[in-house]
Amino acid sequence: DEDGFSDVFEFEFLDEPPLPCYNIQVCLSQGPRNWLLLSDVVKRLKMSSRIFRCNFPNLEVVTITEAEFYKQTSLSQLFSCATDLEAFNPESKELLDLVEFTSELKTLLGSELHWLHP
Amino acid sequence: HYFRYDEHVSLCLEKLRSPQSPNPLCPSQQKYVRCSVRAQIRHLRRVLCHRLGLSLQHVQILFDNEPLPDHMTMKQLWLSRWFGK
């Protein structure tokens, strides 16, 4: 792996409730990865999407339809609670921007990271 | 072993002070933790020990006042205690 961190557990410590993280496969050539909604991220960082994307060009942003987002997220047992997904429309063709949930983004959001070799 | 692509769970840790605790003041106020669903209670214990500067026998993770087994994964914990909540 490019940075040697794939086989360690990463524990993220935060002092405010974490933003929801979604495990989603965005293209067929790679498996599911973890993403945050860009709208959640910019709200917490109190900046616009445009400024976020200019300042952090290395953080990957992808676009997905709300319907596809809903379909994949609702399959997860972790989102078994109806209120988790009630804000999303399973039929919507609207596009959602997702930003990849990397260690860099976690740090940017104020988390402290702790790595552990299992 | 691509843990970083696993689904993640978020936990909110609440400190339960033991009467014989040598250091009743928590050095860290951070109480939310997020990690892979494949991480086990023993991994979380090790991380907490490291952060709190305590030895392993001084840190226990409880749910409803019951100690959680070391080999329980976060996914098992989630499904057995929080499913649908």
Side-chain angles (χ1 to χ4, degrees):
Chain A
D1 180 66
E2 72 273 17
D3 57 14
F5 278 116
S6 284
D7 60 350
V8 298
F9 283 120
E10 187 175 77
F11 286 81
E12 192 192 347
F13 287 81
L14 314 84
D15 49 17
E16 57 184 334
L19 295 173
C21 162
Y22 304 95
N23 196 257
I24 286 177
Q25 182 168 15
V26 293
C27 68
L28 291 172
S29 61
Q30 53 176 231
R33 294 184 176 200
N34 290 308
W35 307 85
L36 300 186
L37 285 169
L38 180 61
S39 55
D40 284 347
V41 172
V42 296
K43 200 167 156 193
R44 184 152 292 186
L45 293 175
K46 298 186 177 68
M47 60 170 72
S48 71
S49 306
R50 195 182 58 81
I51 294 192
F52 177 84
R53 293 173 85 147
C54 281
N55 286 357
F56 309 105
N58 46 327
L59 294 175
E60 190 181 357
V61 175
V62 297
T63 302
I64 185 174
T65 64
E66 193 172 335
E68 180 61 24
F69 172 86
Y70 189 94
K71 192 176 105 189
Q72 292 200 32
T73 308
S74 60
L75 290 174
S76 165
Q77 289 175 312
L78 302 180
F79 288 89
S80 56
C81 175
T83 54
D84 289 335
L85 290 175
E86 68 184 2
F88 302 100
N89 176 355
E91 320 263 288
S92 172
K93 301 272 196 301
E94 295 276 314
L95 297 175
L96 296 176
D97 287 326
L98 302 175
V99 52
E100 192 175 7
F101 196 38
T102 57
S103 305
E104 186 185 352
L105 181 57
K106 291 170 195 177
T107 309
L108 192 64
L109 288 165
S111 297
E112 264 184 62
L113 302 181
H114 195 121
W115 291 282
L116 185 80
H117 284 277
Chain B
H1 277 345
Y2 285 93
F3 296 124
R4 80 155 98 160
Y5 299 141
D6 287 351
E7 283 195 279
H8 280 51
V9 288
S10 303
L11 307 171
C12 180
L13 300 180
E14 220 171 289
K15 193 162 177 280
L16 226 148
R17 196 169 300 172
S18 91
Q20 67 272 36
S21 167
N23 177 11
L25 289 172
C26 185
S28 165
Q29 292 307 307
Q30 290 167 319
K31 53 180 182 166
Y32 293 96
V33 185
R34 170 148 52 196
C35 62
S36 159
V37 289
R38 284 195 280 168
Q40 298 172 9
I41 293 296
R42 65 193 175 99
H43 299 130
L44 180 58
R45 275 181 70 204
R46 271 168 59 195
V47 170
L48 289 176
C49 285
H50 193 267
R51 290 179 68 86
L52 299 170
L54 295 170
S55 56
L56 206 53
Q57 73 266 27
H58 288 121
V59 175
Q60 263 197 333
I61 299 174
L62 312 177
F63 184 92
D64 277 349
N65 288 321
E66 262 180 54
L68 292 168
D70 257 353
H71 283 83
M72 179 180 247
T73 65
M74 297 301 157
K75 180 102 182 196
Q76 289 170 329
L77 176 63
W78 186 273
L79 293 179
S80 61
R81 315 292 160 115
W82 284 295
F83 186 73
K85 289 184 188 164

